């Protein structure tokens, strides 16, 4: 659908043109947000998908990033230009927050928070354990882990700027909203703050969780000899499994069990199941995340499983692994001695397995948009699992 956009806000900047966001008036699009403008192009983000825009007047080129993260170029036209210094324009507070939101990779942030909350409650043995002491311990773990999470995803973006210009052009470093120096400042600051908090809390399980995550996250992304393990599909998958499945479950559980409650180390049935189940889930996330990125990975020599085996085979391998994990979860839930635990675990996992299978059959594997959407759906199932885990007894 082509939508009409009228404006007289074309301005010249360093020999090019830039659209001033506040003067744009849309007739059928409710909003178009300029992410950046330079001497050759405008990068904007329309609120709705698949809408083209046309301006009245002189033609220029407008590069749009749509909500589904795909990009397209359309002819745009303009009114009268006016002198404007693009470098002097300050980002609005809202745009700055939005850029940081995208830089932090919010789906990983949500996953980190839910996983720590879930495994923390696995250490609860009686009602009196639910106290301010417990929530203080959880808050310490969540804040430290989130800062380390931002370091890891930020370092990955710093190492993949050129790849992300193909695979994820909406990310701040790839789009040019953040300079490399800004990215370095952010990841360095958050890594230091994470270690500082882990140290002053005095919890060795928490500190070692942060340290091992730092080491694996660095080795996964940074382009140094013998490192950048993401180039090797199996090693990359093992890095993600180690952090998401093992460190998160065991280390943060022990942080609550030993540091907060002062109890001896004890590996319970729910903890063992959570670690095993999330190992499957972490492998699936590690495999699935590369399916929509196959184009850029091929160009830059990243030998992911999707590149070597093909998207279709990897896609259905991921779905099969999750269905197997759900089947095991149903059996484990059915053996619980508690009726309420049995009902919630069995019914919950049946619903998740059925929903996954229905969604998988409807995905068009030739569409990057649909594959990306399904990948985010996998993350939603990941969140849902952490909501079910505390009910397994």
């Amino acid at each position: 659908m082509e939508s009409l956009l009228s404006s007289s806000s074309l301005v010249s900047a360093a020999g090019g043109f830039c659209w001033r966001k506040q003067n744009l008036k849309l007739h059928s699009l409710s909003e178009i947000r300029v992410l950046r403008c330079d001497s050759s192009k405008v990068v904007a983000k329309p609120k709705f998908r698949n809408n083209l825009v046309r301006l009245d007047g002189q033609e220029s080129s407008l590069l749009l990033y749509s909500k589904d993260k795909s990009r397209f170029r359309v002819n745009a036209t303009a009114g009268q230009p006016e002198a404007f210094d693009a470098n002097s324009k300050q980002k609005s507070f809202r745009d700055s927050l939005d850029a940081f939101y995208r830089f932090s990779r919010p789906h990983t942030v949500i996953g980190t928070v839910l996983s720590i909350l879930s495994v923390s409650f696995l250490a609860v043995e009686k009602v009196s354990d639910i106290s301010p002491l417990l929530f203080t311990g959880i808050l310490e773990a969540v804040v430290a882990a989130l800062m380390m999470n931002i370091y890891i995803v930020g370092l990955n973006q710093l190492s993949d700027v050129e790849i992300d210009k193909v695979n994820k052009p909406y990310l701040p470093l790839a789009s040019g909203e953040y300079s490399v120096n800004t990215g370095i400042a952010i990841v360095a600051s958050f890594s230091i703050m994470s270690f500082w908090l882990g140290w002053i809390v005095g919890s060795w399980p928490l500190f070692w969780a942060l340290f091992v995550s730092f080491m694996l996250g660095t080795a996964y992304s940074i382009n140094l000899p013998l490192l950048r393990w993401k180039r090797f599909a199996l090693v990359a998958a093992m890095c993600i499994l180690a952090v998401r499945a093992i460190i998160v479950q065991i280390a943060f559980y022990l942080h609550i069990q030993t540091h907060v409650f002062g109890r001896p180390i004890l590996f319970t049935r729910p903890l063992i199941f959570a670690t095993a189940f999330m190992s499957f889930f972490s492998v699936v996330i590690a495999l699935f995340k590369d399916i929509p990125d196959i184009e850029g990975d091929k160009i830059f020599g990243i030998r992911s499983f999707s590149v070597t085996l093909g998207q279709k085979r990897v896609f259905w391998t991921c779905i099969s692994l999750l269905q197997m994990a759900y089947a095991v979860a149903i059996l484990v839930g059915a053996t619980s001695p508690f009726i309420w635990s049995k009902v919630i675990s069995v019914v919950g996992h049946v619903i998740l397995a059925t929903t996954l299978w229905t969604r998988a059959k409807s995905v068009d594997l030739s569409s990057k948009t649909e594959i990306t959407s399904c990948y985010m759906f996998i993350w939603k199932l990941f969140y849902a699992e952490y909501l079910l885990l505390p009910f397994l007894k």
Side-chain angles (χ1 to χ4, degrees):
M1 178 182 71
E2 190 173 24
S3 303
L4 181 62
L5 178 66
S6 62
S7 175
S8 59
S9 59
L10 181 68
V11 294
S12 62
F17 297 98
C18 177
W19 296 99
R20 299 178 69 174
K21 176 179 61 175
Q22 62 269 29
N23 294 330
L24 292 176
K25 298 178 180 178
L26 293 126
H27 290 178
S28 58
L29 289 176
S30 65
E31 180 184 0
I32 185 169
R33 180 167 54 80
V34 174
L35 296 180
R36 69 181 172 94
C37 53
D38 55 30
S39 60
S40 60
K41 61 187 177 184
V42 175
V43 178
K45 188 175 182 181
K47 192 169 183 179
F48 300 124
R49 303 181 184 182
N50 304 322
N51 285 293
L52 304 182
V53 296
R54 184 179 68 245
L55 303 174
D56 296 326
Q58 184 180 357
E59 286 193 13
S60 64
S61 181
L62 182 65
L63 182 64
L64 300 179
Y65 289 103
S66 63
K67 187 177 180 181
D68 63 1
K69 309 300 189 294
S70 61
R71 59 179 175 175
F72 52 91
R73 187 179 296 275
V74 299
N75 289 328
T77 60
Q80 297 299 318
E82 60 178 278
F84 180 70
D85 182 8
N87 293 327
S88 67
K89 184 178 181 181
Q90 299 297 318
K91 289 181 178 179
S92 69
F93 181 67
R94 180 179 175 183
D95 287 344
S96 297
L97 283 179
D98 178 73
F100 183 74
Y101 175 81
R102 284 177 281 119
F103 183 79
S104 68
R105 309 297 280 140
H107 60 282
T108 66
V109 169
I110 296 171
T112 298
V113 173
L114 285 179
S115 61
I116 294 174
L117 286 172
S118 181
V119 299
S120 295
F121 276 94
L122 291 181
V124 172
E125 297 178 358
K126 50 187 181 294
V127 175
S128 60
D129 287 342
I130 304 175
S131 64
L133 182 65
L134 170 64
F135 290 108
T136 300
I138 292 175
L139 182 62
E140 292 167 345
V142 167
V143 174
L146 285 183
M147 290 190 289
M148 185 56 67
N149 188 87
I150 291 172
Y151 163 77
I152 292 171
V153 298
L155 180 65
N156 187 56
Q157 291 172 65
L158 282 168
S159 304
D160 286 356
V161 173
E162 296 304 317
I163 298 177
D164 286 341
K165 287 179 181 179
V166 178
N167 291 336
K168 302 180 182 74
Y170 53 89
L171 294 177
L173 285 165
S175 69
E177 293 170 88
Y178 281 177
S179 66
V180 171
N181 287 338
T182 298
I184 292 173
I186 292 173
V187 300
S189 299
F190 275 87
S191 63
I192 292 171
M193 289 189 295
S194 179
F195 279 124
W196 173 78
L197 180 57
W199 181 260
I200 66 170
V201 165
S203 169
W204 282 110
L206 175 59
F207 186 83
W208 280 107
L210 299 174
F211 180 76
V212 175
S213 297
F214 174 87
M215 296 300 294
L216 290 177
T218 302
Y220 178 87
S221 297
I222 199 166
N223 195 7
L224 291 175
L226 302 180
L227 299 179
R228 195 162 172 77
W229 292 351
K230 68 179 296 178
R231 293 176 298 169
F232 313 106
L234 183 60
V235 179
M238 292 301 101
C239 284
I240 295 174
L241 184 149
V243 174
R244 288 285 173 189
I246 299 175
I247 294 175
V248 168
Q249 318 310 316
I250 297 178
F252 289 106
Y253 169 84
L254 292 178
H255 165 67
I256 300 298
Q257 176 77 0
T258 62
H259 175 74
V260 176
F261 292 149
R263 294 169 181 160
I265 296 174
L266 178 65
F267 294 98
T268 62
R269 176 175 177 266
L271 177 64
I272 294 171
F273 169 78
T275 304
F277 188 94
M278 287 305 170
S279 296
F280 272 86
F281 228 121
S282 298
V283 169
V284 168
I285 288 176
L287 297 177
F288 210 110
K289 75 178 186 62
D290 294 326
I291 299 177
D293 293 344
I294 191 170
E295 180 184 355
D297 289 349
K298 284 182 177 179
I299 294 173
F300 292 94
I302 303 297
R303 302 292 295 171
S304 66
F305 282 114
S306 295
V307 172
T308 57
L309 301 177
Q311 289 176 299
K312 183 176 181 179
R313 182 177 296 180
V314 174
F315 177 86
W316 285 108
T317 298
C318 290
I319 301 302
S320 299
L321 285 174
L322 280 186
Q323 294 292 359
M324 291 168 55
Y326 283 137
V328 172
I330 291 169
L331 291 176
V332 172
T335 62
S336 172
F338 304 99
I339 297 298
W340 57 268
S341 175
K342 185 177 301 188
V343 171
I344 294 174
S345 297
V346 171
V347 174
H349 286 104
V350 167
I351 291 173
L352 293 180
T354 303
T355 305
L356 171 63
W357 184 252
T358 302
R359 179 64 182 270
K361 291 193 297 182
S362 68
V363 175
D364 179 5
L365 294 179
S366 64
S367 169
K368 180 178 179 178
T369 299
E370 289 199 25
I371 295 174
T372 302
S373 177
C374 189
Y375 172 60
M376 298 313 299
F377 178 75
I378 296 293
W379 272 96
K380 292 175 183 177
L381 294 178
F382 184 77
Y383 307 153
E385 188 59 37
Y386 274 117
L387 296 178
L388 287 176
L389 281 179
F391 294 100
L392 180 65
K393 297 295 182 182

